[in-house]
Amino acid sequence: MTMKPKNTSNANTMWGGRFAAGPDAIMEAINASIGFDQRMAAQDIAGSGAHAAMLAATGIITDKDAEAIGEGLLTILSEIEDGNFEFSTALEDIHMNVEARLKDLIGEPAGRLHTARSRNDQVALDFRMWVRGQTDAASEGLRALIGVLLAQAEAGADWVMPGFTHLQVAQPVTWGHHMMAYVEMFGRDMSRFEDARKRMNQSPLGAAALAGTSFPIDRHMTAQTLGFDAPAANSLDAVADRDFALEFLAASTICAMHLSRFAEELVIWSSAQFRFVALSDRFSTGSSIMPQKKNPDAAELIRAKIGRIMGAMVGLFTVMKGLPLAYSKDMQEDKEQVFDAADSLMLALAAMTGMVADMSANRAELEVAAATGFSTATDLADWLVRELGMPFRDAHHVTGTLVGMAEAKGCDLPELTLADMQSVHDAIHKGVFDVLGVHNSVASRTSYGGTAPDQVRIQIARWKEVLG
Ligand code: ARG
């Protein structure tokens, strides 16, 4: 038996039963989300497919209707993928656009799909699956970036370069060690995304509008079909929660901050004043007026992307704060900024990966720079402690005097004569010159996690094993 309701007005056919008139054009404009939530079409269709199959398995709808729904959904998916789907603003969002098209295609059974479901659990599901996909994409992007950093570190495990604090030369370090510092940062980012994924992987589907449903649904079944670990345990929370998106944005912001720091170093390093690295033509641009220029635009853009990513995080926190349970339409404002942040992050990760893979370190330049700025002064002070038994504070003072002397003579520490040294402290002997060279300096820093090439190689091997 078919009971077809009469349509008595131009009100919305999905929810307009009690409405005498359709919405004002401005109401439609502020209400519609189809302009952006069509990006969740694949998730919406997968969710509906799982829901329909569950409704049939529990006897809530017939197998025949579920089959018609499943086939219709597949047709819609290919229409959308082929660009043959006409999205309608009057139908508000992706959920109603898909359902309306399903009705065109299969007729009455389409109306049974929304049994024991609401757009509130539907949108929570779709968005969660979309964010889950991006969380995986971020982990993969980070894995690729770590891979190219490891290759750089391996090639230059024993190349020397200046290490900086306050952007002033501090002590020599190895190129490999510097690259591996970023491996640690991006490794933590990866673990943050993996960790967030575990927490987000609960299915809101079946929470319905907010209170659950009186139909005998099987939420475990849909959760499993859609790759979730379990159904979310509280229906109010399930439709009201956007923590998964916030965690994604928080992890993205920290990652973007790391990308920004590295990008800044590449901008500095590729300048004519530093010449530590050459960026490839593929990741640089020219100037329309200055023919000699090769600009690190990709690095600069990566440095800047944190602006919109962190903006999205602050934006969504601001939307969510103070919202009472359960669903409020405010939450429709959750998507655009997450979409933009995800796009920005994936692009920044890909650009950084390409740039690092192509980048060539200027080994000779790094070596010269490593020895400037009295970078082995700490080695000298340590030698005075070790060899002459001086208290470190005294050794620091003697070394400072020697640095002052070198500065006055316009030379570096290894160029001071033994007589110069002995004029400051007569017990100094020629063995001191062994520690003033930058290679000896880095090779001596063998403490766990130190810059010695052997330590760097241990960390490279560990990371290779971690990544498999
Ligand atoms: N487009 C809506 C959103 O993005 C879907 C949920 C609408 N639910 C409702 N009760 N009006 O949040």
Side-chain angles (χ1 to χ4, degrees):
M1 181 183 56
T2 304
M3 289 164 53
K4 214 173 176 273
K6 286 190 214 118
N7 197 2
T8 49
S9 70
N10 62 345
N12 189 299
T13 53
M14 297 283 176
W15 46 250
R18 61 162 295 185
F19 284 68
D24 188 273
I26 292 175
M27 178 60 210
E28 194 171 286
I30 195 174
N31 199 35
S33 54
I34 188 61
F36 48 89
D37 68 14
Q38 53 183 270
R39 280 190 75 164
M40 307 190 307
Q43 289 76 17
D44 193 72
I45 287 168
S48 289
H51 185 64
M54 179 279 292
L55 291 177
T58 50
I60 298 168
I61 65 173
T62 64
D63 287 343
K64 194 160 156 273
D65 283 351
E67 234 166 74
I69 290 170
E71 273 167 31
L73 288 170
L74 287 183
T75 306
I76 295 170
L77 183 62
S78 60
E79 284 176 354
I80 293 175
E81 282 172 355
D82 299 345
N84 295 328
F85 190 94
E86 213 174 300
F87 292 105
S88 148
T89 309
L91 288 165
E92 286 185 33
D93 56 27
I94 185 62
H95 324 298
M96 299 210 295
N97 268 267
V98 169
E99 195 184 319
R101 177 68 185 136
L102 190 63
K103 186 150 185 262
D104 292 345
L105 288 171
I106 67 168
E108 198 230 49
R112 302 193 184 278
L113 171 60
H114 213 51
T115 313
R117 184 177 77 168
S118 151
R119 273 190 295 157
N120 297 349
D121 58 340
Q122 195 177 355
V123 72
L125 173 73
D126 295 1
F127 193 35
R128 204 178 271 249
M129 288 199 292
W130 193 90
V131 172
R132 184 177 68 183
Q134 295 298 307
T135 302
D136 290 341
S139 296
E140 257 166 58
L142 282 161
R143 174 178 286 266
L145 176 54
I146 290 173
V148 297
L149 282 165
L150 285 174
Q152 284 282 358
E154 202 161 27
D158 58 358
W159 301 354
V160 288
M161 66 179 284
F164 298 90
T165 58
H166 315 267
L167 199 55
Q168 307 285 323
V169 171
Q171 293 172 353
V173 295
T174 50
W175 170 261
H177 199 49
H178 202 114
M179 293 297 111
M180 292 305 289
Y182 284 102
V183 167
E184 292 293 330
M185 291 183 244
F186 294 125
R188 285 194 297 275
D189 290 334
M190 204 158 88
S191 83
R192 260 184 285 275
F193 283 111
E194 286 165 0
D195 185 47
R197 190 194 200 283
K198 285 183 208 137
R199 242 181 326 275
M200 75 175 66
N201 205 27
Q202 299 201 340
S203 170
L205 186 60
L210 75 167
T213 175
S214 57
F215 290 99
I217 59 171
D218 183 350
R219 292 191 60 209
H220 293 273
M221 178 181 169
T222 46
Q224 197 185 5
T225 308
L226 297 168
F228 289 98
D229 295 328
N234 180 297
S235 62
L236 290 169
D237 177 49
V239 295
D241 171 38
R242 293 294 181 271
D243 289 3
F244 60 89
L246 291 167
E247 282 199 58
F248 172 77
L249 290 175
S252 297
T253 300
I254 297 175
C255 179
M257 176 271 290
H258 290 148
L259 286 167
S260 183
R261 295 181 73 169
F262 193 19
E264 165 72 351
E265 296 211 299
L266 297 182
V267 169
I268 294 173
W269 288 356
S270 61
S271 70
Q273 286 68 33
F274 271 75
R275 299 199 303 151
F276 283 6
V277 299
L279 300 176
S280 75
D281 289 355
R282 302 196 318 144
F283 286 94
S284 310
T285 55
S287 157
S288 54
I289 177 167
M290 296 165 283
Q292 86 285 8
K293 292 273 280 184
K294 189 166 148 185
N295 293 329
D297 291 36
E300 293 168 87
L301 288 162
I302 293 168
R303 186 171 61 185
K305 287 290 183 200
I306 184 163
R308 51 208 290 175
I309 295 172
M310 184 161 63
M313 180 185 71
V314 174
L316 185 55
F317 270 109
T318 312
V319 167
M320 294 308 295
K321 84 162 278 295
L323 280 188
L325 296 182
Y327 176 85
S328 297
K329 194 65 175 246
D330 306 51
M331 288 159 73
Q332 181 165 287
E333 290 291 319
D334 59 1
K335 292 171 205 67
E336 279 170 289
Q337 21 200 0
V338 176
F339 292 164
D340 183 72
D343 291 344
S344 301
L345 182 72
M346 301 318 151
L347 191 54
L349 282 171
M352 185 59 99
T353 303
M355 212 161 46
V356 173
D358 278 15
M359 162 177 90
S360 51
N362 190 339
R363 188 179 175 177
E365 202 75 43
L366 288 169
E367 178 141 359
V368 170
T372 59
F374 314 107
S375 64
T376 53
T378 314
D379 299 88
L380 173 53
D382 288 350
W383 183 88
L384 294 170
V385 170
R386 226 175 19 245
E387 288 291 315
L388 306 184
M390 246 183 234
F392 183 77
R393 284 291 157 222
D394 296 346
H396 186 286
H397 194 80
V398 168
T399 306
T401 309
L402 287 167
V403 166
M405 181 184 282
E407 198 164 37
K409 291 180 76 173
C411 70
D412 277 313
L413 281 176
E415 282 132 38
L416 289 176
T417 63
L418 188 57
D420 290 335
M421 303 252 190
Q422 287 170 341
S423 73
V424 177
H425 196 287
D426 52 17
I428 298 177
H429 58 79
K430 69 179 190 327
V432 73
F433 289 100
D434 290 346
V435 299
L436 296 182
V438 287
H439 283 282
N440 287 340
S441 168
V442 296
S444 72
R445 297 227 150 72
T446 54
S447 52
Y448 180 83
T451 199
D454 288 348
Q455 281 299 322
V456 172
R457 290 192 183 101
I458 288 170
Q459 296 304 330
I460 295 172
R462 179 176 67 82
W463 271 103
K464 281 184 162 174
E465 207 171 298
V466 169
L467 298 184

